């Protein structure tokens, strides 16, 4: 079968489409035929070699596939031909989902409702599970609170806006382009602001009548964390989801508000938390309250282009690769 392989860490050009042996599912595993695979920013950090060294080349990237069950080696009610999405693959990604076939543990394979395409299935795992965990598990968000989704036009942001709106939060979302902000509005944000406008955080405060927001889901903490603390309400919480560098904060801004800053990595979620997240997401996808947004589908062979585009400004939902 064909798969993208990374033989050494480096720029996007190290992503090569190669012929590799067809994998088989072992005990407790499921083989999934990949119809589409989601491209996440973390795939680029790992490929670069600058991230936590969790993988050693050669490996195949990717965790988030939409596809069909090909073969089953586990005790499960899934059977060949069932439509599914994945929330990881075996071997920590060595045989990842940027491939025609991928092997998953049984608890990494979830039913994909008929109403969603395979590309939408590939847009579920990292974005939606991260948004759910950040809002409802790390920040312990309560319906009725106000949440600022700081970076609402990208993969995690679109998921966060949809989830927060469906759960009864008042949602303020930010985007850096007209098109991105239109998407944030369509996804259900009550208010949309431009994070490139120098006065946008004043607008956020005005939207809350000066009280501040209860929760901030932060996609670019190295730029925003210091300023975030100034627009938090009393007992407000910031969840650090994304960061690409360091930042200075004034700790007194947390003191004055009894505020809290929570770090989070989806990889730290327990199996119980993950199972609970996918149970909730599955119901919402089936019922139609959540709908993944796919910005563009590229052929698997163009993985390098996808890795460049996912880091460019002007986000609009997910980029997926099609084998
Ligand atoms: P994405 O699809 O590339 O979206 C990036 C978002 O950041 C876009 O909405 C973009 O808006 C926005 N942004 C750009 N400049 C900003 C600014 N100055 N202030 C606020 N937002 C700004 O990426 P993603 O998949 O949503 O992931 C977002 C971040 O979270 C990435 O750094 C990713 O690595 C990280 N992440 C972490 C976890 C975890 O477990 N902690 C899980 C998933 C993702 P415009 O393009 O419209 O300007």
């Amino acid at each position: 079968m064909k798969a993208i392989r990374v033989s050494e860490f480096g720029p996007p050009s190290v992503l090569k489409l190669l012929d590799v042996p067809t994998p088989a599912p072992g005990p407790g595993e499921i083989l999934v035929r990949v119809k589409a695979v989601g491209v996440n920013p973390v795939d680029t950090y790992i490929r670069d070699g600058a991230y936590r060294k969790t993988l050693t080349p050669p490996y195949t990237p990717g965790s988030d596939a939409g596809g069909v069950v090909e073969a089953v080696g586990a005790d499960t009610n899934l059977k060949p031909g069932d439509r599914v999405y994945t929330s990881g693959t075996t071997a920590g990604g060595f045989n990842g989902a940027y491939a025609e076939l991928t092997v998953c543990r049984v608890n990494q394979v979830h039913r994909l409702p008929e109403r969603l395409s395979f590309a939408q299935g590939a847009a579920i795992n990292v974005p939606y599970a991260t948004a759910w965990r950040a809002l409802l598990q790390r920040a312990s968000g309560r319906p009725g609170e106000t949440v600022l989704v700081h970076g609402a036009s990208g993969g995690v942001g679109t998921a966060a806006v949809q989830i927060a709106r469906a759960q009864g939060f008042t949602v303020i979302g930010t985007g850096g382009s007209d098109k991105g902000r239109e998407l944030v509005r369509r996804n259900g944000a009550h208010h949309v602001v431009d994070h490139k406008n120098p006065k946008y955080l004043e607008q956020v405060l005005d939207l809350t009548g000066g009280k501040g927001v209860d929760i901030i889901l932060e996609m670019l903490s190295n730029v925003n964390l210091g300023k975030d603390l100034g627009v938090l309400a009393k007992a407000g919480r910031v969840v650090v989801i994304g960061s690409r560098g360091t930042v200075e904060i004034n700790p007194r801004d947390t003191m004055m508000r009894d505020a809290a800053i929570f770090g989070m990595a989806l990889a730290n979620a327990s199996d119980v938390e993950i199972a609970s997240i996918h149970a909730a997401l599955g119901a919402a996808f089936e019922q139609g309250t959540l709908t993944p947004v796919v910005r563009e589908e590229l052929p698997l062979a163009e993985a390098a282009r996808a890795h460049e585009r996912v880091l460019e400004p002007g986000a609009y939902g997910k980029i997926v690769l099609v084998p």
Side-chain angles (χ1 to χ4, degrees):
M1 69 156 187
K2 299 270 187 216
I4 294 288
R5 296 296 280 173
V6 173
S7 303
E8 55 177 336
F9 292 129
S13 58
V14 301
L15 298 162
K16 304 276 189 222
L17 188 66
L18 299 178
D19 283 308
V20 300
T22 299
E29 295 177 348
I30 294 181
L31 181 65
V32 174
R33 180 159 294 278
V34 177
K35 300 284 192 182
V37 55
V39 175
N40 290 296
V42 70
D43 303 343
T44 73
Y45 317 150
I46 295 171
R47 185 218 67 230
D48 213 28
Y51 199 52
R52 294 177 292 156
K53 299 261 191 290
T54 45
L55 288 177
T56 311
Y59 71 92
T60 292
S63 53
D64 301 0
V68 294
V69 174
E70 180 85 1
V72 171
D75 183 17
T76 169
N77 53 14
L78 290 169
K79 56 182 188 321
D82 283 349
R83 304 172 88 252
V84 292
Y85 73 90
T86 67
S87 60
T89 65
T90 56
F94 281 98
N95 300 301
Y98 285 31
E100 289 176 321
L101 291 158
T102 193
V103 179
C104 306
R105 291 196 312 271
V106 65
N107 62 354
Q108 294 172 321
V109 184
H110 317 272
R111 277 190 196 282
L112 180 66
E114 286 294 334
R115 64 176 283 271
L116 298 185
S117 67
F118 291 120
Q120 287 174 311
I124 292 177
N125 176 49
V126 167
Y128 280 87
T130 299
W132 190 282
R133 182 161 195 257
L135 179 64
L136 298 164
Q137 295 181 343
R138 298 297 290 142
S140 304
R142 294 178 295 276
E145 291 191 307
T146 298
V147 56
L148 170 65
V149 181
H150 214 164
S153 49
V156 180
T158 53
V161 169
Q162 292 178 7
I163 291 168
R165 179 65 198 248
Q167 296 283 322
F169 291 79
T170 298
V171 186
I172 305 171
T174 80
S177 69
D178 287 341
K179 208 174 153 208
R181 285 190 294 279
E182 178 49 35
L183 175 65
V184 179
R185 201 166 287 117
R186 251 191 301 124
N187 267 324
H190 296 87
H191 308 285
V192 184
V193 293
D194 176 358
H195 52 234
K196 291 194 173 142
N197 178 335
K199 294 200 179 297
Y200 79 104
L201 287 175
E202 290 166 36
Q203 294 169 0
V204 168
L205 265 183
D206 288 347
L207 288 166
T208 63
K211 170 178 166 278
V213 297
D214 300 302
I215 296 170
I216 300 177
L217 302 184
E218 184 52 67
M219 306 305 156
L220 200 56
S221 309
N222 54 303
V223 172
N224 296 323
L225 189 58
K227 297 176 285 177
D228 283 345
L229 301 178
V231 298
L232 271 185
K234 269 226 171 101
R237 291 89 81 200
V238 184
V239 185
V240 173
I241 297 176
S243 188
R244 291 180 180 163
T246 58
V247 64
E248 188 175 307
I249 67 166
N250 183 347
R252 182 172 282 166
D253 287 333
T254 63
M255 193 177 92
M256 307 296 283
R257 297 170 168 81
D258 273 13
I261 302 169
F262 291 94
M264 81 141 270
L266 184 58
N268 292 334
S270 67
D271 283 352
V272 171
E273 285 173 318
I274 290 289
S276 148
I277 289 170
H278 287 284
L281 291 177
F285 290 125
E286 206 170 78
Q287 296 278 307
T289 45
L290 300 178
T291 303
V293 177
V294 176
R295 156 184 168 181
E296 103 180 286
E297 298 180 34
L298 294 171
L300 183 59
E302 292 186 29
R305 188 149 75 93
H307 273 215
E308 282 161 7
R309 289 181 70 86
V310 76
L311 296 182
E312 287 167 2
Y316 192 90
K318 285 300 296 180
I319 298 174
V320 306
L321 294 167
V322 179

